[in-house]
Amino acid sequence: MDRTTTIETLILGAGAAGLFAAAHAGGDTVVIDHAKAPGEKIRISGGGRCNFTNLRTAPGNFLGANPHFHKSALSRYTPWDFLDLVGRHGIAWHEKTLGQLFCDGRATQIVAMLMAEAERAGAEVRLRTELVEIARDESGFRAVIETEGRRQELRARRVVVATGGKSIPKMGATGLAYRIAAQFGLPVTETRPGLVPFTFPDRFAPLSGVSLPVRATAGGASFDEAMLFTHRGLSGPAMLQVSSYWHEGEEIAVDLAPSGTLAQALKDAKRREGRKALKTVLAQQLPARLVDHLATEHALSGNIADQSDRAIDALCDSLRNWRMTPAGTEGYRTAEVTLGGVSTDALSSKTMEAKAVPGLHFIGECVDVTGWLGGYNFQWAWASGFAAGTAI
Ligand code: FDA
């Protein structure tokens, strides 16, 4: 074992939240991460362009046992603050839709920015480094870390846990934060995959690749976004969003014609082009491959002129309230986030410090605060990292 080193702050995890906390903590900070590169999830996020925040961020865009906990941190570090930082680093960006901001270039620009900010603040980032054990005594924390076979003891006054959740184990997610919380007697709420595609074995494979705007509803929440059929089931932003509200065994509802104009369009076609097949007219409103599939499910046949207005209304009602029960989700293998986590009851909303364990902070995805799809999860990482970093 190498000589014991005493530092002020040890941050576990060089991801979004950990690096951001390092950028705001005083010097004498060491950040460790077992990965060989920092911010790997940032690098792959937003299709490689990182949807780094959302201008419409509001408390209602987050799930968690306490709907008020995240308000304080989010109000003290806003999307505009992050945008200001991005601007100072000369990173070009654009708004895609619904307030979602993306880099014009690569997501790696955000990683480089965070590394530069952490370095400027005097933090040292040690990669390929594992936490072997951690304990607390009267003088603070004692951590044993291991970098490529070499062990070292660190003594730190504060420890910030920023090791993320369980999503995408292939990218290094370990659930370490929950184990540390349990070790120190802190409650952890039930964790499950969020922002994840639904599985429907053998049902939608022929429709794989078809996409359309829908209104999806599950667990009392509705989202108007695109839905994508995959060979495994249903994905696309609308499905990812409602997956965070869905529980195993529950139904989801899909409105395939959310603009509300389908019935009128079919009745107009009945008057103007009555000899056209119902399927043909429907395919002017919905993707043709989906209409083929629906024609089998709903036994659609005949010309549009053969349909009574009541039959058209009944068909449209069923297309606007298509109910089905997913077999499950693709799980942590592809989930963008982990729902649940370190209970917010145990943390200070101002500093993210455990109330019962002075000096121990939890930030980012490991906390029971989960954002919608659209840049909200990074905004939570920045805001919670800022709250802990500035409190140190
Ligand atoms: P994060 O996962 O970023 O960092 C945790 C760090 O801890 C990692 O570097 C990991 O290696 C390290 N670690 C874990 N266990 C360890 C251990 N035992 N020892 C040492 N180190 C350990 N959000 C968003 O707002 N906009 C977006 O565009 C996207 N896009 C996106 C795409 C994909 C494919 C995924 C999977 C996720 C997203 N997200 C997203 C979600 C976003 O990536 C996520 O919310 C944040 O990265 C969470 O930040 P954290 O710092 O909490 O964890």
Side-chain angles (χ1 to χ4, degrees):
M1 176 114 65
D2 288 0
R3 191 161 56 78
T4 300
T5 306
T6 302
I7 56 171
E8 180 67 17
T9 307
L10 172 63
I11 299 181
L12 307 177
L19 289 176
F20 209 65
H24 292 92
D28 206 13
T29 296
V30 171
V31 186
I32 69 160
D33 199 300
H34 65 170
K36 58 180 191 295
E40 279 293 85
K41 276 199 185 155
I42 302 172
R43 183 178 59 79
I44 61 154
S45 68
R49 291 193 192 278
C50 186
N51 177 191
F52 55 78
T53 191
N54 193 303
L55 292 179
R56 301 185 189 176
T57 299
N61 305 123
F62 295 83
L63 296 87
N66 178 351
H68 306 294
F69 177 83
H70 44 283
K71 286 181 179 171
S72 166
L74 288 171
S75 69
R76 282 176 293 130
Y77 194 87
T78 69
W80 301 101
D81 294 320
F82 195 76
L83 204 49
D84 184 48
L85 179 66
V86 164
R88 275 188 271 128
H89 283 257
I91 299 173
W93 55 271
H94 60 279
E95 181 176 348
K96 202 167 169 188
T97 172
L98 304 169
Q100 301 168 5
L101 304 191
F102 286 77
C103 297
D104 287 355
R106 308 304 305 162
T108 45
Q109 293 178 288
I110 299 290
V111 182
M113 176 187 85
L114 296 174
M115 287 295 281
E117 287 290 313
E119 193 179 318
R120 189 191 48 76
E124 179 197 345
V125 178
R126 285 194 211 168
L127 300 169
R128 300 176 199 266
T129 300
E130 300 276 353
L131 178 74
V132 179
E133 59 179 69
I134 186 159
R136 189 172 179 278
D137 56 30
E138 343 41 79
S139 64
F141 294 88
R142 179 187 152 274
V144 177
I145 61 170
E146 184 172 313
T147 312
E148 292 174 358
R150 290 186 66 168
R151 287 197 173 187
Q152 186 188 11
E153 186 177 85
L154 291 180
R155 298 206 65 98
R157 208 167 64 80
R158 291 186 178 274
V159 169
V160 179
V161 185
T163 48
K166 297 180 185 173
S167 41
I168 323 226
K170 253 190 174 167
M171 296 202 65
T174 58
L176 175 66
Y178 314 126
R179 292 200 293 279
I180 294 177
Q183 180 190 333
F184 286 97
L186 304 176
V188 176
T189 65
E190 187 201 346
T191 53
R192 60 194 174 88
L195 301 180
V196 62
F198 289 114
T199 53
F200 288 86
D202 306 325
R203 184 159 176 197
F204 296 127
L207 293 177
S208 179
V210 171
S211 167
L212 75 161
V214 301
R215 174 171 301 147
T217 303
S222 293
F223 291 87
D224 282 29
E225 292 202 54
M227 176 174 84
L228 171 71
F229 291 89
T230 71
H231 59 277
R232 282 189 293 270
L234 293 176
S235 186
M239 289 296 128
L240 299 184
Q241 297 283 31
V242 292
S243 72
S244 294
Y245 290 85
W246 178 82
H247 291 87
E248 204 127 340
E250 288 175 5
E251 264 189 343
I252 61 170
V254 178
D255 179 349
L256 293 169
S259 68
T261 56
L262 181 64
Q264 196 53 52
L266 296 187
K267 287 173 191 170
D268 290 348
K270 178 175 156 182
R271 263 187 280 110
R272 282 201 322 266
E273 40 189 4
R275 282 160 62 177
K276 278 198 173 159
L278 170 60
K279 267 177 65 177
T280 310
V281 175
L282 259 184
Q284 291 164 354
Q285 307 292 328
L286 296 169
R289 276 164 66 203
L290 174 60
V291 172
D292 280 342
H293 177 87
L294 295 169
T296 317
E297 265 197 9
H298 292 263
L300 302 181
S301 60
N303 291 342
I304 183 79
D306 302 334
Q307 317 297 321
S308 67
D309 281 2
R310 264 179 70 179
I312 289 175
D313 285 336
L315 172 64
C316 292
D317 285 349
S318 68
L319 298 183
R320 298 203 60 194
N321 191 16
W322 195 22
R323 292 184 164 268
M324 52 202 139
T325 306
T329 70
E330 291 185 8
Y332 289 119
R333 189 176 61 79
T334 63
E336 283 200 13
V337 287
T338 304
L339 293 154
V342 179
S343 171
T344 51
D345 287 349
L347 304 178
S348 152
S349 61
K350 224 168 161 227
T351 62
M352 308 300 294
E353 187 175 10
K355 292 172 191 163
V357 190
L360 182 63
H361 302 246
F362 290 84
I363 56 174
E365 190 178 326
C366 69
V367 178
D368 178 19
V369 173
T370 307
W372 290 0
L373 185 79
Y376 301 101
N377 284 298
F378 280 138
Q379 188 56 38
W380 170 243
W382 318 139
S384 58
F386 180 82
T390 50
I392 287 168

